[in-house]
Amino acid sequence: MRNGKRRAAGPAVKKQPKRAPRTRKQKLWRAGRWLLALGLVGALLAGAAFTVLYRTVDIPDPNKDFETQTTFVYFDDGKTELGRFATQNRVSIDLDQVPQALKDAVVAAENESFWTDSGIDPVGIVRAAFNNARGGSRQGASTITQQYVKVLYLSQEQSYQRKIKEAILSLKVQRQQSKSRILEGYLNTIYFGRGAYGVEAAAQAYFQRPAKNLDLRQSAVLASVLNNPGRFDPANGKGAREDLLGRYQYTLNQMADLDMITEEQAEKAKRRLPKFPKEEAQSTYGDQKGHMLTMVRKELERLGFDGEEIQGGGLRVTTTFDPEAMAAAKKAVVEERPEGFQDKELHVGVASVEPGTGAVRGFYGGQDYLQSQINWAVAGGQAGSTLKPFALAAAIKQGFALKDTFDGNSPYVLPDGTEVTNQGDASYGSAIDMIYATQKSANSAFVDMTMAMDDGPEKIVEMMNDMGIPPAEAGRGGAGFPSTSPGLEPVATAALGSATVSPINMASGYATIANEGVYAEPFIIEKVVDRTGTTRYSHEEEGPEPRRVLDADIAADVSYALQQNVTGGSGTAALALGRPAAGKTGTATNGRDEVSSAWFAGYTPQMSTAVMYVRGKGNEQLLGWLPDYFGGAYPARTWTNAMQSLMEGLPVEEFPEPAYVDGDAPTDGHAPYVPPPSPTKKPQPSQQPQPSTEVETEEPTPTQEPTPTQEPSPSQQPSPSCDILGCDETSSPQPSPSPSAPAPSGSATPGSGPSRAPEQSGRE
């Protein structure tokens, strides 16, 4: 005890000195050790998870797109191929059929470490993950093996789950298949654009040769294109060629850096792109084939086939199209349209429908499908006086007769004061019969007849619908191509043709007259057989039965009136056919009082054909632009040319004699007749003038033939040119080969009419 203090019992306790505080370096080291420990634990857990996933994730079956079969479309003989629908256009080949230059170019451009890597690129995956996490544009880090796995087994979904699964499957595939097998599979599955999957289809699509015959430059192009087919397809214009050139030169530089080719070879090849011939799609969807395939696809959908089955279900579709009838329509247009006027601005629609069956045998839709997807045989135009025969049929059905007379003077004044004029304001007499009225296409007489009928406008439109002219609005799945006739309304001037009607539907309506009053719904699909050989659809068994819509005697009378239009009226150009024919000319005016269309529709007992000429968007001025805008000129001559080909080798058949049906015509129930004012500038014809043998003598003939400035001379053909962007034999861009491509903006839409309904049509 010291200083009087006692120590507590037990051993002495030493006092601990205070610890010095940790330095910043020590703190960082301590935190680093913890992070390292956590990282190791995380890595172990990730490794364990990856191991579990590797063991549990099995290689799935290939995507069903790789099990699809091409759907083939045939002409009416069921043997001659018209075209095809395919999910993937592919022809697989062995790797030894692929030139070494192409194999090297693909590896150099897409995955230079392909022959040595494990199937994945960890560094690239981390880089892409960080970029995506920062909100940057989605990046991939796919090796050739990963791309192959993604295409064959997975989807294009941009997600981390898909990337992890892709990496696992890539490692598995890498272990199960050799590098050569993986490269072969990749080259046979990857998409190159233009509907081509795999190098063989791509070689045909871009260079029209088998893959084994590709040279260095062509190989480098395909290796470059597959990186982004939409951006690098040289057919998509100068910008695409410039982008392709940059990628192409990168590919060649990569090949030289990897000693696949020499620097000298690379420099020589980099000077320019190779020559690109016309695309293969020209023979698949070019000209009228694209229009045919579009119609077939839409009709298959209407019949209940879904898009997946149409595109890759291995169907065998037999159509009604006759290659000779298709050729006849095109030949007639090319030979008869005025020189210097081409499809870009002058649109000619032609359609031939078989009376009795309704089969659409041939048509001409206008401009090459690859340049414009508007099919004018379906889009149609204002019908003009070609609708008058249906009005005549309705009147005879109501009790009137061919020899009943109506006011043929011009103008005819409707009760509301509206004036209806004849072509050239010609007057034919105050009491002309309907034979002469049809022959001269007298608007006034047809409107007077309409007013004399009970519910005339309604009954006329009803008759049009019954005989094959679709209504203004139709329900889903309605008949016709298209199933509507915009502007077809029950008005006093309905017979004058302000409604928009397609040439196919017009030919169908006239076919009803040719078939003695029996209507057969127009159709284009004869039979559909699936991949197993089972018939899925047969028009003969499932199609609508033809039905009588008009007494045979009435049809004979209407037909007789139409024969007079050919023998002594505005349709005398059809006399050159050299056999009995019946038909009607027509022109129409739009809401601006401009001539918007010119028609000739007619038939023999074996075939009905309609021809329509329109301009621009379908309702633009023909007067002063087309050398002769009347239906009896270019349309009638085009009709005759087409029918001469169609009738070749067929027996000459006569029409039934007219029956001169005469019933109890209404005597009241219609608006009272208002006599027109007496004309002051032209003499009145006799009470009943005799039919003239002149062709449209009342119609002026242009004194000077205008030359359209919108179209180049037919002799001006684009010539191949070569520069750093390569050589090209065609100057037109190549659209997607899908036949469902939309119509170009600023153009008429198939099946749509003019934006403004005209007040009066039926100029002839």
Side-chain angles (χ1 to χ4, degrees):
M1 181 177 68
R2 292 180 181 179
N3 301 325
K5 293 182 180 180
R6 295 183 65 182
R7 183 177 61 85
V13 178
K14 296 181 178 181
K15 190 175 182 180
Q16 295 292 332
K18 291 183 178 181
R19 290 185 178 180
R22 291 188 179 92
T23 65
R24 184 171 182 274
K25 184 176 181 180
Q26 288 174 324
K27 290 179 180 179
L28 290 175
W29 174 247
R30 181 182 177 87
R33 283 185 298 172
W34 275 106
L35 288 174
L36 179 61
L38 290 174
L40 290 173
V41 172
L44 289 172
L45 291 175
F50 190 85
T51 301
V52 172
L53 288 172
Y54 186 86
R55 291 179 177 178
T56 57
V57 174
D58 295 324
I59 296 178
D61 293 330
N63 286 325
K64 61 181 181 179
D65 283 353
F66 292 86
E67 298 176 347
T68 59
Q69 294 186 27
T70 299
T71 288
F72 290 89
V73 182
Y74 300 100
F75 283 102
D76 59 343
D77 61 3
K79 299 177 181 178
T80 305
E81 184 180 332
L82 185 162
R84 59 183 67 178
F85 302 116
T87 301
Q88 295 183 353
N89 172 27
R90 178 187 298 102
V91 178
S92 295
I93 60 175
D94 295 333
L95 191 62
D96 59 11
Q97 293 180 277
V98 180
Q100 188 63 44
L102 180 53
K103 290 183 283 190
D104 289 343
V106 170
V107 170
E110 293 294 308
N111 181 193
E112 63 182 70
S113 64
F114 169 74
W115 294 107
T116 58
D117 63 35
S118 61
I120 61 173
D121 180 6
V123 175
I125 292 175
V126 173
R127 182 181 64 249
F130 273 107
N131 180 79
N132 297 340
R134 289 197 305 266
S137 60
R138 286 282 178 179
Q139 287 187 0
S142 299
T143 63
I144 283 177
T145 306
Q146 286 176 272
Q147 292 180 54
Y148 176 49
V149 165
K150 179 176 66 175
V151 170
L152 189 60
Y153 300 116
L154 302 175
S155 68
Q156 301 299 317
E157 177 190 4
Q158 293 291 334
S159 69
Y160 298 116
Q161 292 87 345
R162 197 269 295 162
K163 292 294 293 184
I164 292 172
K165 191 173 183 179
E166 177 187 298
I168 293 172
L169 291 177
S170 296
L171 291 173
K172 284 198 167 189
V173 169
Q174 173 80 14
R175 294 188 64 180
Q176 295 179 9
Q177 298 182 21
S178 68
K179 287 287 188 178
S180 295
R181 179 70 181 276
I182 292 171
L183 183 60
E184 178 183 294
Y186 174 78
L187 292 175
N188 279 318
T189 57
I190 199 69
Y191 183 60
F192 286 84
R194 299 191 182 183
Y197 289 80
V199 294
E200 182 67 14
Q204 294 289 349
Y206 284 87
F207 300 109
Q208 296 182 5
R209 64 180 59 189
K212 65 181 180 181
N213 292 339
L214 295 175
D215 60 24
L216 172 60
R217 284 209 296 260
Q218 293 164 340
S219 296
V221 163
L222 293 189
S224 302
V225 164
L226 67 83
N227 181 263
N228 191 329
R231 178 184 175 188
F232 296 133
D233 186 341
N236 290 338
K238 184 177 180 180
R241 283 179 177 252
E242 290 174 345
D243 289 342
L244 172 61
L245 179 62
R247 180 69 182 179
Y248 167 80
Q249 292 176 338
Y250 163 80
T251 299
L252 291 168
N253 286 335
Q254 281 287 95
M255 294 178 73
D257 291 344
L258 296 171
D259 294 326
M260 295 171 171
I261 58 175
T262 65
E263 290 288 346
E264 182 181 359
Q265 288 175 308
E267 289 302 317
K268 182 178 180 181
K270 283 163 55 179
R271 293 174 186 169
R272 63 178 175 84
L273 291 169
K275 180 179 179 181
F276 295 99
K278 285 187 177 181
E279 296 81 355
E280 179 66 21
Q282 290 279 359
S283 63
T284 303
Y285 296 103
D287 200 10
Q288 302 304 299
K289 284 189 176 181
H291 297 305
M292 285 189 279
L293 290 173
T294 299
M295 291 180 65
V296 169
R297 178 188 288 274
K298 290 181 178 180
E299 187 66 3
L300 286 171
E301 291 173 349
R302 189 184 75 86
L303 292 174
F305 294 89
D306 61 35
E308 183 177 345
E309 191 168 23
I310 294 170
Q311 192 70 13
L315 303 176
R316 300 295 185 267
V317 182
T318 301
T319 70
T320 62
F321 298 133
D322 178 354
E324 294 183 358
M326 292 295 300
K330 180 178 180 179
K331 169 179 171 291
V333 172
V334 172
E335 293 182 353
E336 301 299 337
R337 66 187 172 195
E339 185 177 355
F341 287 74
Q342 302 299 318
D343 287 333
K344 185 176 181 180
E345 188 67 18
L346 174 63
H347 308 301
V348 184
V350 180
S352 295
V353 175
E354 187 174 72
T357 68
V360 180
R361 294 303 183 192
F363 71 85
Y364 183 78
Q367 196 168 359
D368 188 316
Y369 179 83
L370 298 179
Q371 303 302 320
S372 171
Q373 289 72 54
I374 300 176
N375 180 350
W376 291 98
V378 174
Q382 291 177 273
S385 294
T386 50
L387 290 183
K388 287 177 178 174
F390 306 107
L392 180 58
I396 298 175
K397 181 179 180 180
Q398 201 170 99
F400 290 97
L402 283 178
K403 295 186 178 181
D404 284 343
T405 59
F406 298 93
D407 185 8
N409 286 331
S410 181
Y412 179 93
V413 182
L414 289 167
D416 64 359
T418 300
E419 292 187 351
V420 177
T421 59
N422 296 327
Q423 170 61 36
D425 204 26
S427 288
Y428 302 107
S430 60
I432 62 173
D433 66 31
M434 293 312 295
I435 299 174
Y436 187 64
T438 302
Q439 185 183 60
K440 302 302 292 182
S441 199
N443 293 337
S444 57
F446 274 88
V447 173
D448 189 28
M449 180 187 73
T450 301
M451 299 301 294
M453 297 171 61
D454 284 339
D455 300 321
E458 291 78 8
K459 294 301 181 182
I460 288 173
V461 171
E462 182 181 314
M463 179 60 70
M464 291 177 183
N465 297 159
D466 288 344
M467 294 179 69
I469 306 300
E473 297 181 4
R476 184 179 179 85
F481 297 93
S483 59
T484 60
S485 301
L488 186 60
E489 304 294 343
V491 295
T493 56
L496 306 189
S498 63
T500 297
V501 180
S502 76
I504 292 179
N505 291 335
M506 188 67 74
S508 173
Y510 275 61
T512 302
I513 308 173
N515 197 38
E516 301 182 20
V518 177
Y519 166 68
E521 184 177 306
F523 72 103
I524 63 171
I525 304 294
E526 189 71 63
K527 185 169 63 173
V528 180
V529 178
D530 66 18
R531 68 174 70 179
T532 68
T534 302
T535 298
R536 298 281 301 282
Y537 174 80
S538 170
H539 182 270
E540 184 178 1
E541 297 178 3
E542 302 176 55
E545 291 289 332
R547 65 180 186 274
R548 179 166 293 283
V549 297
L550 194 65
D551 288 345
D553 286 348
I554 298 178
D557 282 356
V558 174
S559 191
Y560 177 74
L562 294 178
Q563 292 171 65
Q564 308 316 301
N565 187 262
V566 170
T567 57
S570 57
T572 54
L575 288 172
L577 183 61
R579 62 173 67 207
K584 183 71 185 72
T585 57
T587 57
T589 53
N590 60 25
R592 302 181 297 274
D593 200 32
E594 298 171 341
V595 179
S596 59
S597 66
W599 288 76
F600 186 83
Y603 55 88
T604 65
Q606 298 105 316
M607 189 64 69
S608 174
T609 297
V611 176
M612 175 198 75
Y613 275 58
V614 294
R615 177 189 180 188
K617 295 181 180 180
N619 63 345
E620 298 178 26
Q621 177 70 282
L622 296 181
L623 177 61
W625 180 77
L626 200 63
D628 192 337
Y629 68 86
F630 297 108
Y634 294 111
R637 292 197 289 269
T638 303
W639 181 92
T640 304
N641 189 317
M643 289 291 283
Q644 284 173 335
S645 298
L646 293 170
M647 293 297 100
E648 187 175 356
L650 297 180
V652 175
E653 294 186 13
E654 302 289 339
F655 291 113
E657 292 294 325
Y660 294 107
V661 176
D662 193 1
D664 295 325
T667 56
D668 54 19
H670 57 85
Y673 169 66
V674 179
S678 301
T680 57
K681 295 184 179 181
K682 56 181 181 291
Q684 289 284 350
S686 60
Q687 182 78 1
Q688 178 63 50
Q690 296 300 314
S692 169
T693 58
E694 299 289 327
V695 182
E696 302 171 331
T697 54
E698 74 281 8
E699 299 173 350
T701 301
T703 58
Q704 181 177 358
E705 181 172 320
T707 301
T709 59
Q710 299 90 336
E711 293 292 338
S713 171
S715 61
Q716 296 175 353
Q717 299 295 333
S719 57
S721 60
C722 299
D723 54 24
I724 191 172
L725 299 180
C727 304
D728 198 348
E729 292 181 352
T730 176
S731 59
S732 60
Q734 169 65 48
S736 168
S738 170
S740 59
S745 61
S747 300
T749 302
S752 66
S755 58
R756 177 182 175 189
E759 297 178 358
Q760 178 178 330
S761 292
R763 295 173 64 97
E764 60 175 348

